[in-house]
Amino acid sequence: MATKRNPARLSGTSATVLPFGRVRVDPSDHSDHKRIPERILHAPGSVAHGYFEAYDAFAQYTRAVPFAEKGKRTPVSARFTKGASERGLKDMARDARGFAVKFRTDEGNWDLVGNNMPVFFIQDAMKFPDLVYDLKPAPHHGISRAESPHDTFWDFVSLMPESTHMLMWVMSDRAIPRSYRMMQGFGVHTFRLINEQGESVFCKFHWKPLQGTHSLVWDEAVKIADADPDFHRRDLWEAIESGEFPEWELGLQIFTEEQAQGFSFDVLDLTKIVPEELVPITPVGRMVLNRNPDHFFAETEQVAFCKSHMVPGIDFCHHPLLTGRRHSYADTQIARIAGKAGVEPFPDTNDQDRVCGKSEKFAEHYAQAALFYNSQSAVEKAHIAAAFRLELRGVGVPAIRERMLSSLVNVSRELAADVASGLGMQVPDAMPKAITDPEPAEVTVSPALSLKALPGQRGVRTRQIAVLVEQGVHHAPLASIHRALTDAGAVVHFVGSRVGVFVASSGEEIEADRSMESSPGVLFDALVVPDGSDAVQALAGNGHAMAFIKDIFRHCKTILALGAGRELLKMAGMGPVMNEDDGILLAESANAAEVAPAFITAVSGHRHSYHESTSPTK
Ligand code: HDD
């Protein structure tokens, strides 16, 4: 995908193009005032601009203008972020990702400030300062393990059973997304929609990516972090620059106050979802992001999202958490940008300091953590257990590990045992629960919560495919695979022991635009191993090539091996499984064109878990 900027995009703005395509928008750029304090949370991130388009008029539920009529377009800016990280840290760390959308409506800005997870750590904003303290680098030496926080975080969550549901999401693969373009977004809170007649219903907002919801696996994320620390931000930028505009469908769960009262959980409790099986999602429109910012500092650093930014037709519910957020965002904007730009945040005049009590249902902490865990595939469950093991291994105080395990017993004994075994510990007694006779949950398994339910509709578009090349590869099969893949919208890279021209067995030249040394296998979604005995021999003697192939296999991505290329798979240890695994396709060179559609289908499946249990290199 192209990375060149299009200066034409700047026409109509006050921006000026400087040498090397740099852009100046803000007159104070490069001056004493260039820096503003970074956000305490969600510091590193990317903004992209575009529009929201309503599928239909939705006036029976809300008078909010973005939903006023079919085809109505509202300009939007979305900011995707890493929740707990400081700026400058790697994109890949395990973390909740921010998903904030600013709708620039005809009646003012509406900020839907959500995450890629539908629940939160705490039920009450009073606990937020402690949570932030525990998520941030250790107070004495300022070191964080980057991928996860330290003892203080696990001390906090193990003492806070209400965090358990969020922990399930954070320990799942959702916390290491493949791309900002491949994340779901959730408004998290229960909002109110109000129509022209003043009638109201409750509502939850869901963003669903057409690109599918896809994740990395941990070993892959760790290696990408070194190979390309800006992986997520680069991916979003390059997709938009190349014209592959990411798109999300907005869906609403709508329910009445009476319905909500009958649920076994409280809809104002942010540690609970409303399962889709209980209230289905109604699609209402789509968001298309089609423009990168012209100026990072002006449009990404200085942009301010605020929960209080609402428009008529959408209102708050008085969550104990939302009330706190409404103060906190305005407060942080004053500290962060008011001094620099003179921006006065929206005053929270609507807030009468109403205090919302918590119903008895808030005391139930485990049913939905179990719902999430029990709705995952076997592989997803294994990844959750592995993440807990990895994280808790880094915890220095044994009592914290023990307490966390005792809390996990309340989610699933199987999970607790799986984690305990990796820590060399016995499964402890279950942590006493705050409530022993909760109302029975309406839904105990929700297939919609597994990534398997979210393949998307974009197939291999923008997927990065590596084709290994060496002197003496067979040219014709690679040319036909290349054609089929690019026609399907994939981005194909020829990867060699170095960049530059390689001469094929029949004399054609193939230019490698990537080298294995600087672009390891983890940066690609799938692999084509070429035919040609001289080439295969050279690749077999190249340590980078063998590591490249093993990583693609280990991370369960699709491999196509042509002709003699099969030998490389055997050398990489795949011999025993290569004929059985649906993620490994084998073909003679003469059949390259015929195998291409099957390869494309397999790549759009993202990962093939068969490898997982059979990988000799796992
Ligand atoms: Fe928050 C930023 C999302 C709870 C206080 N939050 C921030 C951003 C997102 C969220 C996406 C980044 C905005 C941007 O890109 O500039 N926050 C959430 C979600 C929450 C949540 C989904 C739970 C449902 N947040 C939450 C609470 C408080 C805050 C309970 C405080 C009481 N959040 C903040 C903040 C931030 C922020 C400290 C830091 C930077 C900023 O506001 O501009 O005010």
Coordinates of all heavy atoms in Angstrom, one line a residue, residues 39-42 79 81 98-100 113-115 120 125 128 188-189 270 305 321 324-325 328-329 332-333, ligand 1:
R39 N -2.0 12.7 27.5 CA -3.2 12.2 28.2 C -2.7 11.2 29.3 O -1.9 10.4 29.0 CB -4.1 11.5 27.2 CG -4.8 12.4 26.2 CD -5.4 11.6 25.1 NE -6.1 12.4 24.1 CZ -5.5 13.0 23.0 NH1 -4.2 12.9 22.8 NH2 -6.2 13.6 22.2
I40 N -3.4 11.3 30.4 CA -3.0 10.3 31.5 C -3.3 8.9 31.1 O -2.7 8.0 31.5 CB -3.7 10.7 32.8 CG1 -3.4 9.8 33.9 CG2 -5.2 10.8 32.7 CD1 -2.0 9.8 34.4
L41 N -4.4 8.8 30.3 CA -4.7 7.5 29.7 C -4.9 7.7 28.2 O -5.0 8.8 27.7 CB -6.0 6.9 30.2 CG -6.0 6.5 31.7 CD1 -7.4 6.3 32.2 CD2 -5.2 5.2 31.9
H42 N -4.9 6.6 27.4 CA -5.1 6.7 26.0 C -4.1 7.7 25.3 O -4.5 8.4 24.4 CB -6.5 7.1 25.7 CG -7.5 6.1 26.2 ND1 -7.9 5.0 25.5 CD2 -8.2 6.0 27.4 CE1 -8.8 4.3 26.2 NE2 -9.0 4.9 27.4
R79 N -10.8 8.4 17.1 CA -9.4 8.3 17.6 C -9.3 6.9 18.3 O -10.1 6.5 19.2 CB -9.1 9.4 18.7 CG -7.7 9.3 19.1 CD -7.2 10.6 19.8 NE -5.8 10.5 20.2 CZ -5.4 10.1 21.4 NH1 -6.2 9.8 22.3 NH2 -4.1 10.0 21.6
T81 N -6.9 4.2 20.3 CA -5.8 4.4 21.2 C -5.4 3.1 22.0 O -6.2 2.1 22.0 CB -6.2 5.4 22.3 OG1 -7.5 5.0 22.8 CG2 -6.3 6.8 21.8
G98 N -8.9 2.2 23.0 CA -9.9 3.2 23.0 C -10.5 3.3 21.6 O -9.8 3.1 20.6
F99 N -11.8 3.6 21.6 CA -12.5 3.7 20.3 C -13.5 4.9 20.5 O -14.6 4.8 20.9 CB -13.3 2.4 20.1 CG -13.9 2.2 18.7 CD1 -13.5 1.1 17.9 CD2 -14.8 3.1 18.1 CE1 -14.0 0.9 16.7 CE2 -15.3 2.9 16.9 CZ -14.9 1.8 16.1
A100 N -12.9 6.1 20.2 CA -13.7 7.4 20.5 C -14.1 8.0 19.2 O -13.3 8.1 18.3 CB -12.8 8.3 21.3
V113 N -17.5 8.1 23.4 CA -16.1 7.7 23.8 C -16.1 6.3 24.4 O -16.4 6.1 25.6 CB -15.6 8.7 24.9 CG1 -14.1 8.6 25.1 CG2 -15.9 10.2 24.5
G114 N -15.8 5.3 23.5 CA -15.9 3.9 23.9 C -14.6 3.2 23.9 O -13.5 3.8 23.7
N115 N -14.6 1.9 24.1 CA -13.5 1.1 24.0 C -13.7 -0.1 23.1 O -14.9 -0.3 22.6 CB -13.2 0.5 25.4 CG -12.4 1.5 26.3 OD1 -11.8 2.5 25.8 ND2 -12.4 1.2 27.6
F120 N -16.1 -2.6 31.8 CA -15.0 -1.8 32.4 C -14.6 -2.5 33.7 O -15.3 -3.3 34.2 CB -15.5 -0.4 32.6 CG -14.3 0.6 32.7 CD1 -13.4 0.8 31.7 CD2 -14.2 1.4 33.9 CE1 -12.3 1.6 31.9 CE2 -13.2 2.3 34.0 CZ -12.2 2.4 33.0
A125 N -17.0 5.4 39.8 CA -15.8 6.2 39.4 C -15.0 6.6 40.6 O -13.8 7.0 40.4 CB -16.4 7.5 38.7
F128 N -11.7 5.1 40.3 CA -10.9 5.3 39.1 C -9.5 5.8 39.4 O -8.5 5.3 38.8 CB -11.6 6.3 38.2 CG -11.0 6.5 36.9 CD1 -11.2 5.5 35.9 CD2 -10.3 7.6 36.5 CE1 -10.6 5.6 34.6 CE2 -9.8 7.7 35.2 CZ -9.9 6.7 34.3
V188 N -20.2 1.2 25.7 CA -20.1 0.7 27.0 C -21.2 1.0 27.9 O -21.9 0.2 28.4 CB -18.7 1.0 27.7 CG1 -18.6 0.3 29.1 CG2 -17.5 0.7 26.8
H189 N -21.5 2.3 28.1 CA -22.6 2.7 29.0 C -24.0 2.4 28.4 O -24.1 2.2 27.2 CB -22.6 4.2 29.2 CG -21.4 4.7 30.0 ND1 -21.3 4.7 31.4 CD2 -20.2 5.1 29.6 CE1 -20.2 5.1 31.8 NE2 -19.4 5.3 30.7
L270 N -21.4 -1.2 34.8 CA -20.5 -1.2 33.6 C -19.7 -2.5 33.6 O -18.9 -2.6 32.7 CB -19.5 0.0 33.7 CG -20.0 1.3 33.1 CD1 -18.9 1.9 32.2 CD2 -21.3 1.2 32.4
F305 N -11.9 14.7 23.5 CA -13.2 14.0 23.6 C -13.7 14.2 25.0 O -13.0 14.2 26.0 CB -13.0 12.5 23.3 CG -12.7 12.2 21.9 CD1 -11.4 12.2 21.4 CD2 -13.7 12.0 21.0 CE1 -11.1 12.0 20.1 CE2 -13.4 11.7 19.7 CZ -12.1 11.7 19.2
L321 N -20.6 5.5 37.4 CA -19.3 5.7 36.7 C -19.4 6.8 35.7 O -18.5 7.6 35.6 CB -19.0 4.4 35.9 CG -17.5 4.3 35.6 CD1 -16.8 3.4 36.6 CD2 -17.2 3.7 34.2
G324 N -19.0 10.3 37.1 CA -17.6 10.6 37.4 C -16.9 11.0 36.1 O -16.1 11.9 36.0
R325 N -17.2 10.2 35.0 CA -16.5 10.5 33.8 C -16.8 11.9 33.3 O -16.0 12.6 32.7 CB -16.9 9.5 32.7 CG -16.3 8.2 32.8 CD -16.7 7.3 31.7 NE -15.9 7.5 30.5 CZ -16.2 7.0 29.3 NH1 -17.2 6.2 29.1 NH2 -15.4 7.2 28.3
S328 N -14.5 14.2 34.9 CA -13.1 13.9 34.7 C -12.6 14.4 33.3 O -11.5 15.0 33.2 CB -12.8 12.4 34.8 OG -11.5 12.1 34.6
Y329 N -13.4 14.3 32.3 CA -12.9 14.6 30.9 C -12.7 16.1 30.8 O -11.7 16.6 30.3 CB -13.9 14.1 29.9 CG -13.7 12.6 29.7 CD1 -14.3 11.7 30.6 CD2 -13.1 12.0 28.6 CE1 -14.1 10.4 30.5 CE2 -12.9 10.7 28.5 CZ -13.5 9.8 29.4 OH -13.3 8.5 29.3
T332 N -9.6 17.1 32.8 CA -8.3 16.8 32.1 C -8.1 17.7 30.9 O -7.0 18.0 30.6 CB -8.3 15.3 31.8 OG1 -6.9 14.9 31.7 CG2 -9.0 14.9 30.5
Q333 N -9.2 18.0 30.2 CA -8.9 18.9 29.0 C -8.4 20.3 29.5 O -7.6 20.9 28.8 CB -10.2 19.2 28.2 CG -11.1 18.0 27.8 CD -10.4 16.8 27.2 OE1 -9.1 16.8 27.1 NE2 -11.1 15.7 26.9
Ligands
HDD1 FE1 -12.0 7.4 29.9 C1 -9.8 9.2 28.0 C2 -12.8 5.5 27.2 C3 -13.9 5.4 32.0 C4 -11.4 9.5 32.5 N1 -11.4 7.4 28.0 C5 -10.5 8.2 27.4 C6 -10.4 7.9 26.0 C7 -11.3 6.8 25.8 C8 -11.9 6.5 27.0 C9 -11.5 6.1 24.4 C10 -9.5 8.5 25.0 C11 -10.1 9.8 24.4 C12 -9.2 10.3 23.3 O1 -8.8 9.6 22.4 O2 -8.7 11.5 23.5 N2 -13.0 5.7 29.7 C13 -13.4 5.2 28.4 C14 -14.3 4.1 28.6 C15 -14.6 4.1 30.0 C16 -13.8 5.1 30.6 C17 -14.9 3.3 27.5 C18 -15.6 3.2 30.7 C19 -16.7 2.9 30.3 N3 -12.5 7.4 31.9 C20 -13.3 6.5 32.5 C21 -13.6 6.9 33.9 C22 -12.9 8.1 34.0 C23 -12.2 8.4 32.8 C24 -14.4 6.2 34.9 C25 -12.8 9.0 35.2 C26 -13.6 9.1 36.2 N4 -10.7 9.0 30.2 C27 -10.7 9.7 31.4 C28 -9.7 10.9 31.3 C29 -9.2 10.8 29.8 C30 -10.0 9.5 29.3 C31 -8.7 10.9 32.4 C32 -7.7 10.7 29.7 C33 -7.4 11.6 28.5 C34 -8.6 12.3 28.2 O3 -9.6 11.9 29.1 O4 -8.8 13.2 27.4 O5 -10.4 12.1 31.5

